[in-house]
Amino acid sequence: MTWGQMAFFVAMFLSIAFPVAIIFYARLVRPLKLCRRHRIALGIVVFAVVLLAGASTPIASLIARDTELAQKLHFGVWGGWPYYLMTFVWALVTCLFVRGVLVYGSRICMALAKCVRKDKVATPLDSDDIDEGRRLFLERAKQAATIGVAVVCVPPVVYDARGRRVIRHVEIDFDDLPEALDGLRIAHLSDIHVGNTMYRENIADIVKETNELDPDIIAITGDLADGYPEVIGSWIDPMREFRAKYGTYFVTGNHDHMWNARGWVHKVESLGIVHLDNEHRIIDVDGPPLAIAGAIDARGERRGRWQSDPEKALSGIGTNVFKLMLVHQPASVDRSLAAGADLVLVGHTHGGQFWPLSYLIDVLHHYARGLYRVGFGKQKAVYVSCGTGYWGPPIRIGVPPEIIDIRLVRRRRSD
């Protein structure tokens, strides 16, 4: 990651962090009615936590870009600590939102109830005679409960992001699928993002879970890493143990190009994984050929002499050959389909990763998550993975990390 990119991330995150810090101060500190000295001290703590969380990506990237510094600080532990702060800040924002909905919802209900009641008896909380000390105690208890719930939510949220991945079993049928390919199993991985808070042991777990599926092909559709291979390259060594009948294949993602993509390509190839550089491989599956093609990430040209070319990757393949295409971004899907791909495997979107982005992802991407049938008669297919890891803070809410177990099926026609 360049200094310019880090400056962009700093500006973007701080533009969000300042309003969030102000909201935290207004909702959590001011109602406590503390003395001026204590109020200023708590305000500083709130702003420091939020700003550090907001700057988590630049901080981790700054540590990771210096090989010697990262090794001294044990990058795997200290490089990712701001991300856990971000998880806490997200949990606190969510708790404040839910609390606000409950409080204002109850007030609206009470107001409506008063409108239909003739006696209009005031509730104790509406009385002006309520003891001020009791009111302050309840206010402070409310703030403490809000923060406490946010703290309690962090461990399960982190566990959901870093724990065992969901295995999604998907059958995709095709009219002209050769009989020899009927039942072919493809394990689709994407967006692992090793680095920061995804460590070697997480990679070992992913390898174990993938091998348990006994796949014929393993496909990795980019964003393997967030860090330099010189620093954390050894963390993906467990991938040497991938077991697939016809091999493991990899294409780059936009994050791989931020962190010395050529170094990562060299690393994965040293582990026996095939990198598809706008090219394809022909595999004989009990006679009928299968083409596995892959293109460089669509943003690769921004960082070095990389050029995404799905058309080149699929050129020269016979018309009677089933074409499996690996790309990282949904932006490359239509080009791949137009070039002749039968099945396109994609990543990048993370399915939104957590609320509320999980609701916005369908607006941001035409191919957002899951299976899409396209083309005349829905003869072609696109599958978008929600990601095997995560990016940034270890948060996965409603969109768990996943390994896709795809089974190709020959479409049965009724007589």
Side-chain angles (χ1 to χ4, degrees), residues 203-280:
I203 302 302
D205 290 340
I206 290 171
V207 171
K208 180 177 181 292
E209 293 163 16
T210 303
N211 287 342
E212 287 174 352
L213 299 175
D214 191 24
D216 296 300
I217 296 168
I218 298 175
I220 306 173
T221 54
D223 275 8
L224 174 63
D226 268 311
Y228 285 116
E230 299 86 353
V231 180
I232 60 172
S234 63
W235 293 9
I236 69 166
D237 283 348
M239 289 186 172
R240 192 187 305 275
E241 303 303 319
F242 271 136
R243 296 290 178 262
K245 185 176 181 180
Y246 301 110
T248 302
Y249 300 85
F250 166 76
V251 294
T252 59
N254 57 301
H255 280 251
D256 303 315
H257 288 276
M258 294 179 184
W259 302 101
N260 184 12
R262 297 191 188 281
W264 281 113
V265 167
H266 177 74
K267 179 61 183 181
V268 298
E269 290 179 338
S270 72
L271 301 177
I273 299 172
V274 178
H275 169 237
L276 295 171
D277 183 359
N278 295 328
E279 58 188 332
H280 64 265

Side-chain angles (χ1 to χ4, degrees), residues 66-73 231:
D66 188 319
T67 303
E68 183 178 352
L69 176 63
Q71 290 172 341
K72 287 181 178 179
L73 293 180
V231 180

Side-chain angles (χ1 to χ4, degrees), residues 101-123:
V101 170
L102 293 176
V103 169
Y104 289 107
S106 64
R107 289 179 180 178
I108 292 173
C109 291
M110 292 174 62
L112 292 175
K114 287 182 180 181
C115 290
V116 298
R117 289 176 59 186
K118 295 181 179 179
D119 52 356
K120 298 183 180 181
V121 178
T123 62

Side-chain angles (χ1 to χ4, degrees), residues 71-88:
Q71 290 172 341
K72 287 181 178 179
L73 293 180
H74 191 345
F75 174 57
V77 176
W78 300 107
W81 66 265
Y83 287 124
Y84 293 106
L85 274 181
M86 186 182 286
T87 304
F88 168 71

